[in-house]
Structures are given as structure tokens and as C-alpha cells.
Amino acid sequence: MTANPTTPTLNDSYDLVVVGAGACGMVAALAASDAGKSVLVLEKLETPGGNSTLSTGSVPGANTRFQREAGIEDSPEKMIHDLLQTSGSHEAENLVRLMAEASAEIVEWLVDRHDIGLYLITDYKHVGHSVPRLHAPADRNGANLTADLQRACERAGVSILTRTPVVGLLHEDGAVTGVTAELSNGQRQDIPARAVLLASNGFGANRAMLERWIPEMVGTVYHGAPGSTGEGIEWAEQLGAALANVRAYQAYAAVATDAGDILSWTTVELGAIIVGPEGTRLGDESVGYSAFAEVVARQTPYSFTIMDKRIFDYVARNEPRFVKIINLDCVQEAPDTAALAAYIGCDEVTLSATLDTASAAAAGTAADQFGRTDFGQGALEPPYFVCKTHPAMFHTQGGVAIDTHARVVTPEGRPIRGLYAGGGVAAGISGQAGADGYASGNGLSTAIGLGYAAGRHVGSREE
Ligand SMILES: Cc1cc2nc3c(=O)[nH]c(=O)nc-3n(C[C@H](O)[C@H](O)[C@H](O)COP(=O)(O)OP(=O)(O)OC[C@H]3O[C@@H](n4cnc5c(N)ncnc54)[C@H](O)[C@@H]3O)c2cc1C
């Protein structure tokens, strides 16, 4: 990897210039470089990683050998069915098939060819998946995924220039011919390329674009990477790209407020409930962390996630990120309902009634008032553990329309020559609008899947 030389030595031209060093950009770089192409990755911030580093690094793969070894039967068709059931119909359904059919090959290629540490998560299913199919770093920390990708780029001889924002695209006769970058020495330089991949993520950090497409989330806390300012989408739009699913996004229902990090959703999948400041539940938590974020945001700016010792111990044993939150004193033990109510600052009788009703639903002796049927390990039992949480906007899930080679297309479906897009810049697979179409792994699926598609297509080009 090139480490920010003051005056970087650049080639006269590249087969592929990648805008953004997140998962999409680095995977594309590896795929193109595997095919012998010259690749340069430009990253505007000090370090590579973007949202991919903030993620849990969970990547779907349908019918991987890791699943077969674990005795899990899966197939691309099953994954397509699962994803469309969660998302409903949308404007990029061709990408769902592409992601599902390529997913196993990509996970195995990352592990076998590039030594990326991904392990099948078998101990529970994820939102929107009928079987365990997410593959993640051992500690479920996306920073390890991006660190592995960086090391793989280094081994492959791919240069990643950080603190080097791309500020515009070069184009001629409707074809993209390179980028203009601002080098770390402050000078602007045109860098010719036979292909450019926009891997600069979506527009979660751009208020004006949120106002245009997702106004309902403008006032919500943004919990994504600062680099997601949407310029890639704007440049492509200016060149005539169509947009697709641009009003879809992923939110998260339970950021641990005092830790500034996500509270693992495993807690809820194992049976935790979420109550508002009054001590009453807000809805069916099992709809998933993204869909439930909208439910919480509509009712209260903050909430409390309540679990019990079995859940606390299990997640602490398995997820170092949860341990960090515990070590910051953000998960409090409450021996009984009185202590729990005192911590939340709500009426004990109300909270007691909430816990009793939820317990009855979890035990199956009464229907849940919100229709939740999956309470993981069953009714919560004292001692309780509680974490103050709030909903947040994570990342946008729509963008420019692309074909199955990740080439950016016009409204007529014609590729814009030389221009590719993937990850958060491109149309996502999480429905047409809103936060409830997001299945776990959809973000990295289109980052890694489309990066792979773009890199392979550039790799197969003769010119
Ligand atoms: C807290 C959190 C948890 C998540 N967990 C998961 C998960 O477990 N599984 C999952 O599938 N998804 C998850 N997601 C979503 C996932 O992180 C994103 O969908 C995915 O990382 C997007 O990848 P990307 O490569 O497109 O963008 P990024 O990883 O954000 O990379 C884009 C890069 O481009 C750079 N850039 C931007 N503009 C320019 C420019 N002009 N010039 C040069 N560089 C530029 C940015 O600085 C950034 O480094 C999570 C998101 C968050 C916020």
C-alpha cells in the first residue's frame, strides 16, 4: 500500500481507478488486480474503511462450503426468496439474483484467495434470513474485515492513496475517462483511467440529499462514517444515470447512547425487549433492527433495552464489541423490577405490567400485544440488565441504477461507458423506500458483490 507520499508517483493511466477505499472499492481492486489490471484506489479520509469498518462485517453467502460443513442447506433461490420477502418488490430485483448467485463464490474467493477472515455465524439466524448464511470476522467487527482487505490489497500491489479525495469525473463524448483528484500536497491532478468505479458510499452524511430523498430521517442521529456525502451519486446523475431505490435506507433501533456504539441486536434476537422512558414497549422488536428504528423514532428519542443474565452472558461470551460497551459501564445490572424502574426513571407498576405481559407472550401463554412471536430464549428473568439506547440513521440503500456488471446505466438502460458503481453509490436491494426492507448483510452484499462484479468485468475487458 502506498502510504500517503507528499507527491505520489502516479501511472500515466490506469485500467481502473476506484473512488473510495471501503469494502466495495477494495474488493473491486482485488478482483481487477487478480486479472492483471492496473488499479489505483483513492480515499478522501485519513484511513480506508468507511462504513464497512463500522459494520459488523457480516456478509451473506448462500450455499457456501462453510454452510455445507455445518450441515446447513441453502441455495441462491432460498436467499432470493428471503430477501424479496423482506424488501417487497423494488427497482433493482435483477441485483438480488446477482448477489445471491455470486454470494458463495465471493465469500470463498475472499477466504481462499485473499485470506480474509470470514466465519459462518451458526448460533442464530439474522433479520431476513431463514437459515444461518452470514459470514463475519470472528469478533463481528467490520474493522477486521477492512484491515484484512487492506492487507490483501498490499499483497496484490494495489496502491491506496488516503487523504486524496476525488473531486470530479473526467468525461468525453459521454464516456468517463478518469477522475480529478486532490492530492495530499493540495494539488489537483487529472488521472486518466479506462474505467472508474464509484465506491464512495451513499449520502447518509449529506443533509441536503437526505432532505431531497429521505426527509423523515433528517432529524435523526447519523451513526455512519463521515465520508458518506453522496458526491458519487451526484456525479453519475449529472452524466445521465438513472436512480433506483433511492429512498431506501438502513437504520438501527438500538445504539448504546453513552457508548456511541451499536448495542448488539443479538440481545433482541435472544429475547430482549425495548421500552420507552415510560416503561412501556414500543412495538414488535422482532421486525428487525432497521424496521424497528422507524418505530422507535416515531415515538421517542431514546429507549431502554432490557435483557436478562442468560442473554447478557451469552453475548458477552461471543461478542467483544458488547464487552466494550459493558466496560464503559453502559449496561447496568438491576436485581429486580424496582431497581430497573429506578434506573429507567419510570413508574415501577407500569414497568412490572410491561414485563409480565411480555413474559406471558414469550412463554406462549398469551398473544403478544404487538404480535411478536419470537422471543429467543423465552421469558426474561431477574436479574435484569439494561442499556440506554437510541435509534439512528446508518446508511442509505439506494443510488444509481446499474446492470449486472455494475455498469452505471441511463433511464433507457444504456451503460455510460467507463463508469461503474457499487455499494452505497448503487441501487440497493432493500426495497424501494424506508427502513423496513433491510435484511442483515444487504449493505455489504452490494458493496462486496458489486465491487466483485465491477472488478471482474474490468478484468475481462480486452482493450
Ligand atoms: C454501524 C453500522 C453497522 C453495519 N453493519 C453491517 C453489517 O454487519 N452487514 C452489512 O451488510 N452492512 C452493514 N452496514 C452497512 C455497511 O457498512 C455499508 O452498506 C457498506 O459498508 C458500504 O460499503 P461501501 O464500500 O459502499 O462504502 P464505505 O465502506 O463507506 O466506503 C466508502 C469510502 O469512500 C470514501 N469516499 C467518499 N467520497 C469519496 C471521494 N470523493 N473521494 C475518495 N473517497 C471517497 C469514504 O471516505 C469511504 O472510506 C452497517 C453500517 C453501519 C453504519
Side-chain angles (χ1 to χ4, degrees):
M1 189 179 67
T2 305
N4 285 324
T6 319
T7 326
T9 312
L10 296 170
N11 294 354
D12 292 339
S13 176
Y14 289 88
D15 293 316
L16 174 65
V17 165
V18 176
V19 185
C24 178
M26 290 194 278
V27 166
L30 290 172
S33 132
D34 273 4
K37 301 292 177 181
S38 58
V39 186
L40 174 68
V41 183
L42 300 171
E43 166 57 48
K44 74 178 170 189
L45 298 183
E46 298 242 329
T47 49
N51 255 20
S52 306
T53 287
L54 298 181
S55 78
T56 60
S58 309
V59 185
N63 193 23
T64 62
R65 73 161 192 276
F66 309 107
Q67 287 177 306
R68 291 193 297 276
E69 281 161 16
I72 292 158
E73 274 185 40
D74 198 7
S75 67
E77 290 306 324
K78 206 185 264 189
M79 178 166 159
I80 293 167
H81 176 264
D82 287 351
L83 293 186
L84 287 176
Q85 197 167 45
T86 304
S87 67
S89 65
H90 59 78
E91 296 165 344
E93 290 181 22
N94 59 333
L95 299 184
V96 180
R97 175 160 292 280
L98 176 71
M99 294 301 102
E101 287 180 346
S103 61
E105 173 186 324
I106 296 174
V107 168
E108 292 177 15
W109 169 78
L110 285 169
V111 173
D112 298 338
R113 168 87 178 90
H114 290 293
D115 203 20
I116 309 298
L118 291 173
Y119 306 89
L120 178 67
I121 305 170
T122 50
D123 38 9
Y124 60 94
K125 289 182 214 158
H126 284 84
V127 176
H129 297 277
S130 59
V131 295
R133 67 164 67 97
L134 293 196
H135 302 68
D139 62 355
R140 292 171 207 175
N141 182 354
N144 286 321
L145 171 65
T146 51
D148 279 357
L149 287 171
Q150 249 183 282
R151 277 190 284 271
C153 284
E154 201 172 334
R155 283 193 297 271
V158 170
S159 293
I160 300 175
L161 294 187
T162 55
R163 284 186 286 137
T164 309
V166 170
V167 293
L169 298 179
L170 302 174
H171 53 95
E172 220 176 286
D173 300 331
V176 170
T177 55
V179 301
T180 304
E182 203 169 87
L183 305 182
S184 54
N185 61 13
Q187 287 174 354
R188 288 195 168 193
Q189 181 160 336
D190 290 347
I191 305 173
R194 277 174 280 285
V196 171
L197 169 66
L198 297 171
S200 44
N201 207 3
F203 56 91
N206 182 323
R207 193 186 163 95
M209 288 179 82
L210 281 180
E211 268 163 3
R212 179 176 172 204
W213 297 114
I214 311 179
E216 69 270 27
M217 292 306 275
V218 168
T220 319
V221 175
Y222 171 62
H223 192 76
S228 307
T229 43
E231 56 268 46
I233 295 172
E234 289 181 323
W235 297 330
E237 203 186 358
Q238 284 155 15
L239 287 176
L243 298 180
N245 295 335
V246 74
R247 293 172 53 230
Y249 61 97
Q250 186 212 337
Y252 196 82
V255 173
T257 304
D258 298 322
D261 197 2
I262 57 173
L263 177 71
S264 168
W265 199 248
T266 313
T267 56
V268 173
E269 286 173 332
L270 293 179
I273 60 169
I274 298 182
V275 303
E278 315 297 331
T280 52
R281 276 174 62 216
L282 303 165
D284 173 5
E285 299 88 350
S286 70
V287 294
Y289 48 75
S290 186
F292 199 62
E294 270 183 318
V295 177
V296 180
R298 264 201 317 272
Q299 301 180 67
T300 171
Y302 66 95
S303 53
F304 296 87
T305 302
I306 303 171
M307 65 201 90
D308 65 10
K309 188 160 167 49
R310 285 172 307 172
I311 298 172
F312 177 91
D313 285 346
Y314 179 88
V315 186
R317 238 186 353 262
N318 290 287
E319 300 187 22
R321 203 165 178 170
F322 182 63
V323 175
K324 277 192 197 152
I325 291 175
I326 297 169
N327 290 342
L328 288 169
D329 252 359
C330 297
V331 185
Q332 298 298 324
E333 182 168 358
D336 51 28
T337 315
L340 191 59
Y343 179 80
I344 293 172
C346 68
D347 175 47
E348 188 189 335
V349 176
T350 306
L351 182 64
S352 219
T354 299
L355 289 167
D356 287 348
T357 318
S359 289
T365 53
D368 181 49
Q369 62 190 127
F370 300 110
R372 179 170 173 179
T373 51
D374 184 354
F375 284 83
Q377 302 192 349
L380 299 179
E381 289 164 8
Y384 302 107
F385 290 80
V386 58
C387 181
K388 185 177 178 188
T389 45
H390 65 260
M393 167 76 180
F394 266 18
H395 56 110
T396 52
Q397 276 289 292
V400 303
I402 50 170
D403 67 10
T404 50
H405 298 304
R407 292 180 298 187
V408 176
V409 296
T410 64
E412 299 74 40
R414 184 177 48 77
I416 296 175
R417 272 180 299 140
L419 189 60
Y420 294 76
V425 180
I429 53 173
S430 304
Q432 215 165 324
D436 55 357
Y438 188 83
S440 288
N442 276 4
L444 285 172
S445 182
T446 47
I448 288 175
L450 295 174
Y452 185 73
R456 296 261 296 192
H457 194 254
V458 169
S460 70
R461 282 168 54 167
E462 294 295 326
E463 74 275 45

